[in-house]
Amino acid sequence: MADGEEKPLRKVAEAFEELQTIVNSQPQELGLALLCNACSLILPFFVGLGIALKFAEMDYVSKVEDLCEASKTIISVQSMIDQDIQHNTVKKCGSNSRNLLRVKRALDMMKVLFEQILATEGNSLKCSASTAYTQVFAAHHGFAIRKAATAGMLLLPTKSRFLTMLNEDGPTAELYMQRYVIASAPVLEYIDNLFHSRELGVDW
Ligand code: 1PW
C-alpha cells in the first residue's frame, strides 16, 4: 500500500460538503475557484482507475484546468455562465459553460459509480462503472467514444486495488463514498438549475 497520509476520498467528501453548505444557503453565489478546487480533487480517482480511463482523464484535466484559469478573473459560476451568454459562446466548443457541463457529468458519473459500488457485493468495478457511464454519459457520446469507454471498462482494476490506490483499506472508504453521494446531489442539482433558469438546458 502507498504512503497512507493522503486520503483523496475524505478530501473529496469534505470539499463537496463545503459546496453543499453554500448551495443550500442561496442566494449566496457559488465561487468558481472553490468549485474548481473540488473538481481537482477527483483526479486521484482517475489515476486509481488506471490506464482504462486515460483518455477520459486527459479530457477532464484539460477542462478543469481551463475552468481554474477562468476562476482567476471570474468570481462565481453564475457570472461565468452569464458572460458566455453575453458573448453568445455558451455552447461553443471549449467555452467555460460547456466545459462546466462536461465536468459536472464526470462528478455525476462518480456519484453513480459510488452508489453502485456501495450497493454491489464483490470485487469487480466493471458493472458499477458501466452502469454509471450508461446512465450519465452514453447518450452524449458518439459511437467511437462509447466504444472506447466500453473497452476501458474491461481494463478497470478490482475494487480492492482501486481502494488501495486511494490509501483506503477499511470501512472508512464506504463512509466517505456515502458522504460524497449525499453532498454532491444538491451541488449537481444547483449547477443544472443554473443552466435551466437561463433556458440553456443540460442535454447538449
Ligand atoms: C473517476 C470517476 C469519474 C469518471 C468519469 C469518467 C468519464 C468517462 C467519459 C469521458 C469521455 C472522455 C472522452 C472525451 C469526450 C469529449 O468528446 C466530450 N467530453 C466529455 C467529458 O463528455 C465532449 O467534450 P467537448 O466536445 O465539449 O470538448
Side-chain angles (χ1 to χ4, degrees):
M1 184 170 134
D3 159 9
E5 290 311 306
E6 284 285 303
K7 288 280 191 181
L9 271 175
R10 189 183 67 204
K11 279 192 180 177
V12 161
E14 287 170 352
F16 277 82
E17 282 167 351
E18 191 183 349
L19 295 180
Q20 179 189 23
T21 307
I22 293 170
V23 303
N24 283 342
S25 51
Q26 291 182 53
Q28 190 182 343
E29 294 200 339
L30 178 58
L32 182 56
L34 204 64
L35 178 66
C36 289
N37 181 49
C39 292
S40 308
L41 298 175
I42 307 284
L43 276 175
F45 300 167
F46 282 100
V47 180
L49 291 172
I51 192 76
L53 292 178
K54 193 72 198 161
F55 69 107
E57 178 188 337
M58 285 163 64
D59 188 67
Y60 182 81
V61 169
S62 74
K63 286 175 167 57
V64 172
E65 276 176 356
D66 286 354
L67 289 173
C68 286
E69 192 57 35
S71 76
K72 290 178 185 168
T73 52
I74 306 174
I75 302 268
S76 70
V77 181
Q78 279 81 346
S79 42
M80 185 191 84
I81 298 176
D82 289 336
Q83 278 191 20
D84 274 335
I85 293 174
Q86 271 169 18
H87 298 138
N88 205 16
T89 49
V90 173
K91 297 190 182 180
K92 204 175 150 208
C93 197
S95 84
N96 293 324
S97 303
R98 179 168 165 146
N99 285 342
L100 172 66
L101 192 58
R102 275 54 175 159
V103 165
K104 188 221 62 163
R105 282 186 193 132
L107 301 177
D108 198 5
M109 174 163 166
M110 201 171 79
K111 172 175 168 286
V112 181
L113 176 66
F114 287 176
E115 284 169 342
Q116 293 296 318
I117 290 175
L118 290 167
T120 310
E121 301 274 330
N123 199 21
S124 172
L125 286 182
K126 251 171 264 172
C127 284
S128 299
S130 298
T131 304
Y133 177 79
T134 305
Q135 204 168 310
V136 176
F137 271 112
H140 303 286
H141 286 159
F143 178 74
I145 292 180
R146 282 207 308 271
K147 230 179 139 59
T150 308
M153 302 295 168
L154 300 175
L155 299 171
L156 287 174
T158 59
K159 179 165 116 185
S160 52
R161 173 87 193 125
F162 174 60
L163 293 179
T164 303
M165 295 282 290
L166 298 176
N167 289 329
E168 297 288 347
D169 58 359
T172 49
E174 298 208 340
L175 189 76
Y176 298 140
M177 285 189 208
Q178 189 67 54
R179 281 173 56 183
Y180 172 80
V181 168
I182 292 171
S184 64
V187 177
L188 296 170
E189 194 185 326
Y190 177 89
I191 296 174
D192 274 352
N193 284 337
L194 293 180
F195 283 91
H196 287 308
S197 62
R198 289 159 177 78
E199 296 185 354
L200 299 170
V202 291
D203 289 324
W204 47 274

